[in-house]
Amino acid sequence: MTTLYEWKRPVLAAMLGLGPTLALAQGMAITSMAPAPNTPAMPPTSSLTIGLTQAPTAASASELRVYSAQRGGQRARGATPAVVSGNTLVFTPTAYPYVAGETVRYTVTRAVAGAGGSLPAPLVAQFTVATGGPGRGRFVAASGPLAGGITGLNPVVGDLDNDGDQDVVIGHSNRSQVTVLRNDGTGTFVADPDLPLGSSYQHLALADVDQDGDLDLLTTGSGNGVAVRVNNGTGTFTGSQLVTVGAGVTFVAVGDVDGDGALDMVTANANAFPAPGSVSVRFNDRAGNFSGRYDLPIGTGAQSVALGDVDRDGDLDIAVPDPMARTVIVFFNNGFGVFPTSTTVPVGPYPVSVALADLDGDLDLDLAVLNDNNSSVSVRLNNGVGTFSGTLDVGAGGGVRLAVGDVDADGDLDLLAQSPYVPGMIGLSLNNGDATFAWGGMVTVGDGPQGLALADVDNDGDLDLLTPGRAGLSVGLNSAPLPTAPGTAPAALRLAPNPASGAATLSGAAPLAAVQVLDALGRPVLATRTDASGTALLALPAGLAPGLYVVRCAGQVRRLVRE
């Protein structure tokens, strides 16, 4: 007899063009998905349509579960349910559109049924909502850091009070509390009283774990627990369910790993050297209660975890960095939330932050991994079945937290990396559409950034940049590039002497323009600005190795040879 797992992989592979379809006589099966899984730029009002081999029952409509990451939580319910239309299940976000840049995940559960019976396996998939608006990856400060001594860490963004704009929750490095910052719709925030945690903070996540249409709050502590607090629909959080996970929990991700339509919990647990770390999987009972004890062994020091269907078999796999081994471990789901097989992907030195995203536009999930020791992002491309290859390491400007999103609204996903080594700066790499990247410069943010997030906080359709730091939350609104007068071209940059030993002078630039010197791997080695005459002295750091370097200023590039 064909097992569930044996059926699931060839059928979904055939739907995605990867292999022959296994015949299922008179049974219920999925024949199509629109949009295709992992679509990177889905219009915000588009319908999700699941094609089936036969007409589903009316009750099957409630077994298409659609989850927005930033507004409304479970969407296919209440005033905008999924519907049966012929041989399809359809969900259209009619009450309000999806949020620009957010990831939408959905599950077609095994309970979808027709005359020939129910589905033998669930389907879990995702797409990313397109961005637009005026922004093209140039960020302008909307406001300085919030007053009140908010020492912020690792923000999470979502519409907590269901008023149509994006609010923010940040943790604190100096006390066991989080702060809810409410958005007035323009990207201006007002802080609520702090919410006590009862333990020191590590990481946050927002997700509709109780399936009531709002975003609940999950917080990790310094020990081995994740606290779950339920949203009452207005951004007020109650309850204190504590879910036990592995020792030294550092990061929590949420997704439907067992295909039952509810969002489960997966954590990265660093433990302490030489004791091994772990990944913990805890299952949701569809009411927001987590149970089960399933842990996967990993190396020590993991700082993040990502969920996504990397082998395109209809379930969520796990990617977690192993810093000491310079690898990312990918655990493959068997469809039941069990991960019997894994592979390792070589990346850069001391990987700390991992993301799964379609970087080359071929509808599978690639790896982007931020490496702390050399301030680079390792990009490893998926061949469609969960095998990753490539050696591209993109200069990032820093190495603690990574964000992925289409900041220049061109339909592909760009990379932003926090820079603890260059104070008040975020490194931006713009995707050319094929997972090659052009350096977009360093974005100036508040002092001592402690994490970053991308979200449309001013409701204009593009992704803005949020960075909490020592004094609070800095907001950078995405705006269009500065216009150039018709018929004019930027002045040519000049470097002298070139080759240079200790210093070179850059001239011909605009006044007060940002200047960067990058090494051959794209890593910044010097950042400065031109003076009022458009000139800058580039004092090369002592001990800088001889060789070829790149000088960037106002979109122009010049080569500089260090003798």
Side-chain angles (χ1 to χ4, degrees):
M1 181 179 71
T2 302
T3 67
L4 173 63
Y5 185 51
E6 290 168 342
W7 172 87
K8 186 176 181 182
R9 185 180 292 273
V11 170
L12 289 172
M15 289 160 46
L16 296 168
L18 299 178
T21 302
L22 181 67
L24 295 172
Q26 300 181 354
M28 174 66 87
I30 297 173
T31 60
S32 63
M33 295 164 280
N38 306 322
T39 295
M42 175 76 167
T45 59
S46 298
S47 298
L48 169 65
T49 303
I50 307 298
L52 301 160
T53 53
Q54 56 190 250
T57 63
S60 296
S62 64
E63 298 303 322
L64 171 57
R65 307 291 179 93
V66 182
Y67 288 93
S68 284
Q70 293 184 351
R71 186 181 181 195
Q74 187 187 333
R75 294 291 302 272
R77 57 180 296 281
T80 54
V83 298
V84 173
S85 178
N87 281 25
T88 65
L89 292 173
V90 182
F91 173 73
T92 304
T94 53
Y96 50 86
Y98 298 119
V99 176
E102 73 173 332
T103 296
V104 177
R105 283 198 167 122
Y106 61 90
T107 300
V108 186
T109 78
R110 297 179 183 88
V112 170
S118 60
L119 284 175
L123 166 72
V124 182
Q126 69 182 55
F127 56 84
T128 300
V129 181
T131 63
R136 294 298 181 268
R138 177 177 173 268
F139 298 93
V140 178
S143 60
L146 295 173
I150 301 172
T151 306
L153 289 171
N154 298 334
V156 290
V157 184
D159 185 3
L160 304 178
D161 46 11
N162 289 314
D163 64 351
D165 51 48
Q166 297 296 295
D167 309 303
V168 181
V169 186
I170 60 176
H172 301 285
S173 61
N174 59 349
R175 58 189 187 273
S176 299
Q177 295 170 318
V178 298
T179 298
V180 174
L181 302 170
R182 295 184 187 266
N183 191 347
D184 69 357
T186 68
T188 301
F189 295 87
V190 177
D192 278 359
D194 284 349
L195 177 66
L197 294 180
S199 63
S200 60
Y201 154 85
Q202 291 288 331
H203 187 253
L204 305 172
L206 292 172
D208 185 6
V209 298
D210 57 357
Q211 300 183 311
D212 64 351
D214 53 41
L215 297 174
D216 308 305
L217 177 64
L218 293 82
T219 63
T220 70
S222 58
N224 63 343
V226 176
V228 179
R229 288 175 171 80
V230 175
N231 192 343
N232 69 356
T234 66
T236 300
F237 297 96
T238 60
S240 57
Q241 178 191 174
L242 186 65
V243 182
T244 300
V245 294
V249 56
T250 58
F251 197 97
V252 58
V254 182
D256 184 7
V257 298
D258 57 359
D260 67 350
L263 299 177
D264 307 303
M265 177 191 305
V266 178
T267 67
N269 314 307
N271 214 318
F273 186 82
S278 65
V279 170
S280 295
V281 181
R282 301 294 181 264
F283 299 103
N284 190 340
D285 66 357
R286 284 192 166 197
N289 302 305
F290 293 88
S291 61
R293 182 83 192 186
Y294 184 47
D295 296 290
L296 300 163
I298 58 174
T300 304
Q303 300 296 311
S304 68
V305 64
L307 301 177
D309 183 9
V310 301
D311 52 0
R312 299 207 297 182
D313 64 350
D315 51 43
L316 295 181
D317 308 302
I318 296 172
V320 59
D322 188 344
M324 305 303 290
R326 296 189 175 195
T327 64
V328 169
I329 306 173
V330 178
F331 294 98
F332 295 102
N333 195 339
N334 69 357
F336 296 95
V338 178
F339 301 82
T341 60
S342 65
T343 189
T344 58
V345 183
V347 292
Y350 209 81
V352 290
S353 188
V354 61
L356 290 168
D358 180 14
L359 299 176
D360 55 359
D362 63 355
L363 299 181
D364 55 39
L365 296 178
D366 307 302
L367 274 171
V369 187
L370 182 59
N371 308 302
D372 189 23
N373 275 11
N374 72 349
S375 300
S376 69
V377 178
S378 293
V379 175
R380 302 294 182 262
L381 299 182
N382 192 345
N383 70 350
V385 294
T387 300
F388 296 89
S389 61
T391 59
L392 177 63
D393 286 340
V394 180
V400 176
R401 289 296 177 202
L402 175 70
V404 179
D406 184 7
V407 299
D408 53 359
D410 63 352
D412 52 44
L413 299 175
D414 310 304
L415 306 174
L416 291 96
Q418 175 194 339
S419 176
Y421 312 116
V422 183
M425 305 293 279
I426 300 292
L428 170 61
S429 297
L430 296 173
N431 196 340
N432 296 317
D434 58 357
T436 63
F437 294 85
W439 179 246
M442 300 294 285
V443 182
T444 302
V445 295
D447 184 37
Q450 301 291 311
L452 69 160
L454 293 170
D456 181 14
V457 298
D458 57 355
N459 290 311
D460 65 351
D462 54 36
L463 292 179
D464 307 305
L465 177 62
L466 298 96
T467 55
R470 295 187 182 97
L473 182 72
S474 293
V475 179
L477 296 183
N478 199 343
S479 63
L482 292 174
T484 301
T488 65
L493 299 181
R494 296 179 296 277
L495 282 170
N498 190 11
S501 55
T505 298
L506 173 73
S507 59
L512 306 180
V515 182
Q516 283 188 303
V517 180
L518 311 172
D519 68 12
L521 294 177
R523 298 173 298 191
V525 298
L526 176 65
T528 186
R529 287 187 178 274
T530 60
D531 61 18
S533 68
T535 300
L537 178 66
L538 307 181
L540 301 176
L544 192 65
L548 181 65
Y549 293 82
V550 173
V551 178
R552 293 183 181 271
C553 181
Q556 298 187 68
V557 176
R558 294 293 181 270
R559 295 183 177 184
L560 175 64
V561 176
R562 172 67 184 270
E563 292 180 324

